[in-house]
Amino acid sequence: MLRIEKFNLNIKKELLLSIDELMLESGRKINIIANNNNGKSIFLKTIHGDFKKYDGNISITEKSPAIFKKRKKSILLETVPHLLPEETVWNNLILPFRNLTLRQKQKITDLCRTAELNEKIDHKVRYVSYSEQKFLELIRAVVQLPYLLLLDDFDIYFDRMNAQKAGIICDYAVNNGTTIIAATKKKIDDFDLYYRIHLKKLLQV
């Protein structure tokens, strides 16, 4: 569960975003809609812990079996891919895993097939397209099953056809208890909850 209370996000002493209270249950897909310069990217960075200048309380809690205690609290995917360009797609996919299990390996392989990335597993990342790099990051993130997966500018990652494939990949994480928050300029289909940043407030729509 993500809980945000009495939250004020300020940039250079100017209020950017205010939230009285927000509670998001595990295993939901949330779309936050806003134009540029309305705070959606900084809001995701704040939830992730990369931006500290705010007032209020942000807490991520999860009632999980002991086997899930080592889950990451959050993973943030930003507009610019964070990958090793001289390494292969596969080496980038398995980078976070100290001991890759057979189950994880199979799931990565299955999701790569969904993304039609399997034929480029041995290619260096610098030779694959932007959308393929974003698929790589998305697959790597969902297989880790974080409590929160934060997707900034999600609507520019993929065209319509690839967005459907991305939805299938996201559903794997959601079905295993991950909450996904995607920040976009326009509303995207098949999400559970929609919020819009309007007049410096986060409003459910």
Side-chain angles (χ1 to χ4, degrees):
M1 175 189 292
L2 172 66
R3 181 192 294 270
I4 299 175
E5 298 172 298
K6 299 178 180 178
F7 175 83
N8 288 302
L9 179 61
N10 297 283
I11 301 294
K12 296 181 179 179
K13 298 183 179 180
E14 181 180 346
L15 179 65
L16 188 63
L17 178 62
S18 177
I19 301 171
D20 294 328
E21 184 178 40
L22 177 68
M23 292 177 54
L24 300 176
E25 298 290 340
S26 302
R28 308 298 298 275
K29 291 194 293 185
I30 294 91
N31 183 195
I32 295 177
I33 307 155
N35 293 325
N36 288 342
N37 302 317
N38 277 277
K40 62 182 187 293
S41 296
I42 295 178
F43 180 49
L44 294 189
K45 286 178 179 289
T46 304
I47 294 173
H48 186 55
D50 286 347
F51 190 81
K52 307 288 187 181
K53 296 180 180 180
Y54 68 92
D55 298 317
N57 181 59
I58 299 175
S59 61
I60 303 170
T61 58
E62 184 74 9
K63 294 180 180 178
S64 297
I67 191 172
F68 294 132
K69 292 295 184 183
K70 294 183 179 179
R71 280 188 177 189
K72 283 190 174 183
K73 281 198 171 183
S74 64
I75 294 176
L76 171 64
L77 300 191
E78 300 178 277
T79 309
V80 177
H82 294 278
L83 299 167
L84 301 176
E86 296 302 322
E87 292 291 337
T88 64
V89 169
W90 180 254
N91 285 343
N92 274 275
L93 282 165
I94 65 172
L95 195 61
F97 304 97
R98 287 187 178 181
N99 298 298
L100 189 70
T101 66
L102 287 176
R103 182 176 180 180
Q104 288 170 330
K105 183 177 181 179
Q106 185 60 54
K107 179 50 64 177
I108 291 172
T109 302
D110 291 344
L111 295 178
C112 283
R113 192 174 297 114
T114 298
E116 298 184 8
L117 196 59
N118 50 313
E119 293 184 1
K120 297 191 176 181
I121 286 294
D122 296 324
H123 291 201
K124 287 185 176 181
V125 163
R126 64 193 295 254
Y127 295 121
V128 302
S129 70
Y130 175 78
S131 63
E132 288 168 334
Q133 290 182 35
K134 298 312 291 182
F135 267 127
L136 189 167
E137 285 192 309
L138 183 61
I139 292 168
R140 185 172 68 185
V142 302
V143 173
Q144 294 178 72
L145 296 176
Y147 294 143
L148 287 177
L149 177 54
L150 310 169
L151 307 172
D152 192 21
D153 288 327
F154 185 57
D155 48 341
I156 71 170
Y157 294 1
F158 309 112
D159 60 22
R160 179 172 295 183
M161 184 174 294
N162 281 331
Q164 293 176 346
K165 300 171 189 174
I168 295 170
I169 294 168
C170 287
D171 284 343
Y172 165 73
V174 169
N175 292 337
N176 284 277
T178 294
T179 295
I180 293 178
I181 303 177
T184 62
K185 291 181 184 176
K186 297 180 180 180
K187 182 178 179 180
I188 49 180
D189 295 333
D190 300 323
F191 273 61
D192 301 314
L193 297 169
Y194 294 89
Y195 291 85
R196 183 179 295 277
I197 298 176
H198 180 66
L199 298 177
K200 302 181 181 182
K201 290 278 190 178
L202 185 67
L203 306 174
Q204 189 170 357
V205 294

